[in-house]
Amino acid sequence: MCAQGLYRPSFEHDACGVGFVAHIKGVKSHSIIEQGLQILKNLDHRGAVGADKMMGDGAGILIQIPDHFYREEMAKQNVVLPPPGEYGVGMIFLPKEHASRLACEKEIERAVRAERQVVLGWRDVPVNREMPMSPKAREKEPVIRQIFIGRGPDIMVTDALERKLFVIRKAAGHAIQALDLKHCKEFFVPSMSARTIVYKGLLLADQVQDYYLDLQDERCVSALAMVHQRFSTNTFPEWPLAHPYRLVAHNGEINWFRAREEMMRSAVLGDDLQKLYPLMYEGQSDTACFDNALELLVMSGYPLAHAMMMMIPEAWENHQLMDDNRRAFYEYHAAMMEPWDGPAALLFSDGRYAGGMLDRNGLRPARYLITKNDMMVVASEVGVMDFEPGDIKEKGRLQPGKILLVDTEKGEIFYDGELKKQLAEAKPYRIWLST
């Protein structure tokens, strides 16, 4: 992904197919994963395909960690996993070259132990190497393994473990880049979390389920599935650039800015903040940069929806009818961060919440549908899943600057007005601005 000819990595943008399906009450099932993969297949026309019809820009799926499934799989190695929420799983792309792969694995384990967490074991992710695949995609195909990380004695809650996994991933990545190995660019961590796992790659929409055998297993269950089919402009297809990222899947463009790292402070991350630099590498795609910034805000203690509102604000400056508290919210946060303008439609999930949002330009479509049996679907178009008309409770579209959120733990849907009212009134932003 180096600059060559007229190509510049910094110009990478997306115009893709994106969607999620979630059970509002948080009921996990294999059918949710199957429905997510069906959405992905129905978004096939939104993905890029090269002269080689088997070569696309990438596709993938984010799901909740299937604890029972992983527990049984790791038991085959005599590894007993801790209770859910007390361990994390890293999905790792590794170099094919043996020495480079071992070096990467050692650095990851070193970072785990440096943060006083526990290496529980590794698992080879079973993939279908017999399925038809573009020779170029096969040539770039990484070795895919999962690392299981248990919480250390100083970690009491899952949120704290998530932050440690964040630090481990960033620290290991920096150490591996510093090794300057010939094959180190093949290293990538699609996800490392106690709540979610990402299966993605340089695959077509209908290849994701065939390639990753885990997704075919009935024991693999989730209450939500977020999918993405990539159509990228000004870019070369690469395994790491497929979506979803760790929190977002995105259709459109995001105009991002370079953070002033030396000015950052976090009471939650404390001294760990210094271990995260650089937050973004030169040449990352716009979505990767957005995901990194969003992840930093969430790991610093901001609720996911709050962080999204900070990064993708409404057009509030000249909105004369906007509530004063909401205006104060945006004005206060405008002093902290410039808007990450699109055009963009973004779906996001941390494993508990799942939501969708349009930037204030509203030039990318996003439709939603809610059924009478507590299913929610949000996607870049209608028709990604079939429902009987009598089963549909509500349907609509996301509007510019608006957000829609489902909390699968509480079983609640939060619409734009009530969610923003809640967040805008949570702190005295108007008073803070006047002092």
Side-chain angles (χ1 to χ4, degrees):
M1 295 182 287
C2 300
Q4 50 182 293
L6 296 177
Y7 167 74
R8 294 293 182 273
S10 58
F11 295 157
E12 290 177 3
H13 303 301
D14 299 306
C16 320
V18 61
F20 79 71
V21 57
H23 194 287
I24 296 167
K25 303 300 183 183
V27 178
K28 298 183 180 183
S29 67
H30 185 65
S31 65
I32 291 285
I33 296 173
E34 291 180 324
Q35 289 168 335
L37 292 166
Q38 187 60 50
I39 292 174
L40 185 58
K41 292 174 184 177
N42 289 336
L43 292 170
D44 178 69
H45 60 283
R46 282 185 169 267
V49 177
D52 175 357
K53 298 300 183 183
M54 298 298 292
M55 182 68 171
D57 272 351
I61 183 170
L62 176 150
I63 61 174
Q64 294 172 327
I65 285 182
D67 173 71
H68 177 69
F69 172 59
Y70 286 157
R71 192 171 298 280
E72 290 190 348
E73 288 297 302
M74 291 305 289
K76 297 175 183 177
Q77 303 181 40
N78 296 318
V79 174
V80 178
L81 294 180
E86 295 187 16
Y87 72 93
V89 186
M91 181 74 89
I92 317 292
F93 289 172
L94 293 161
K96 288 181 178 177
E97 197 271 322
H98 183 69
S100 296
R101 182 166 69 252
L102 287 180
C104 291
E105 290 175 356
K106 293 300 181 186
E107 288 297 339
I108 295 171
E109 292 184 4
R110 185 176 291 114
V112 172
R113 295 187 176 104
E115 296 302 321
R116 299 179 61 200
Q117 306 307 300
V118 182
V119 177
L120 299 172
W122 288 83
R123 173 178 180 255
D124 295 323
V125 177
V127 298
N128 183 358
R129 301 199 184 279
E130 304 302 318
M131 62 175 271
M133 183 183 288
S134 166
K136 290 186 178 179
R138 184 73 74 186
E139 179 185 344
K140 297 179 178 183
E141 179 186 21
V143 172
I144 306 175
R145 304 193 74 198
Q146 291 172 334
I147 183 172
F148 289 76
I149 301 169
R151 69 172 180 87
D154 57 335
I155 300 297
M156 297 293 111
V157 295
T158 305
D159 283 347
L161 178 57
E162 283 287 288
R163 286 191 288 273
K164 274 301 176 188
L165 294 171
F166 176 49
V167 173
I168 288 166
R169 193 192 84 233
K170 299 293 283 188
H174 298 334
I176 290 167
Q177 293 296 322
L179 293 176
D180 200 24
L181 299 170
K182 180 180 179 181
H183 300 279
C184 71
K185 297 297 183 183
E186 299 171 30
F187 167 81
F188 185 74
V189 183
S191 63
M192 185 175 284
S193 171
R195 295 190 173 104
T196 61
I197 191 80
V198 173
Y199 290 85
K200 70 175 187 176
L202 197 51
L203 303 163
L204 300 175
D206 60 358
Q207 290 181 320
V208 175
Q209 185 174 19
D210 292 339
Y211 182 75
Y212 284 111
L213 302 184
D214 286 356
L215 299 176
Q216 303 173 25
D217 198 302
E218 293 286 339
R219 297 170 297 164
C220 192
V221 299
S222 177
L224 61 87
M226 183 167 71
V227 299
H228 187 276
Q229 165 69 64
R230 193 166 189 249
F231 188 113
S232 189
T233 57
N234 302 315
T235 181
F236 298 127
E238 299 286 348
W239 282 76
L241 293 180
H243 297 213
Y245 280 87
R246 291 130 197 153
L247 289 172
V248 302
H250 160 238
N251 170 28
E253 301 180 10
I254 287 289
N255 297 311
W256 61 280
F257 64 94
R258 198 170 300 278
R260 298 179 180 178
E261 295 176 350
E262 69 276 5
M263 298 176 64
M264 292 184 181
R265 302 289 185 273
S266 171
V268 175
L269 289 169
D271 293 340
D272 282 345
L273 183 62
Q274 301 300 316
K275 304 172 186 176
L276 308 178
Y277 300 152
L279 294 170
M280 304 171 192
Y281 287 112
E282 188 68 34
Q284 283 189 309
S285 68
D286 52 357
T287 314
C289 294
F290 183 93
D291 188 76
N292 283 339
L294 177 63
E295 189 177 33
L296 177 64
L297 291 175
V298 171
M299 295 303 169
S300 298
Y302 288 98
L304 181 58
H306 186 141
M308 288 294 295
M309 286 176 60
M310 289 173 63
M311 296 181 70
I312 311 286
E314 294 179 79
W316 59 272
E317 294 95 333
N318 299 310
H319 193 329
Q320 297 180 358
L321 300 179
M322 181 176 286
D323 174 79
D324 288 342
N325 289 325
R326 190 188 300 188
R327 181 189 299 278
F329 174 95
Y330 286 126
E331 184 178 353
Y332 177 84
H333 290 99
M336 302 169 59
M337 180 179 294
E338 299 173 35
W340 292 58
D341 275 331
L346 294 116
L347 302 189
F348 52 92
S349 178
D350 61 0
R352 172 182 173 176
Y353 298 101
M357 190 174 194
L358 293 191
D359 78 297
R360 55 189 176 179
N361 298 302
L363 298 178
R364 289 292 184 270
R367 300 275 182 169
Y368 73 89
L369 181 150
I370 300 168
T371 70
K372 294 177 181 177
N373 62 342
D374 296 320
M375 299 293 292
M376 175 188 281
V377 177
V378 182
S380 47
E381 59 199 75
V382 296
V384 293
M385 283 183 64
D386 293 328
F387 293 100
E388 292 295 328
D391 294 335
I392 298 173
K393 178 180 178 181
E394 178 185 342
K395 59 183 177 180
R397 67 180 180 90
L398 293 182
Q399 298 180 7
K402 304 303 182 183
I403 188 172
L404 179 67
L405 187 77
V406 58
D407 181 346
T408 62
E409 191 171 291
K410 290 187 176 180
E412 296 181 24
I413 298 173
F414 295 92
Y415 293 90
D416 182 83
E418 61 178 312
L419 178 61
K420 289 178 177 176
K421 176 179 172 62
Q422 183 182 107
L423 291 171
E425 295 178 356
K427 303 289 183 182
Y429 295 111
R430 294 172 64 187
I431 294 175
W432 290 349
L433 287 169
S434 63
T435 56

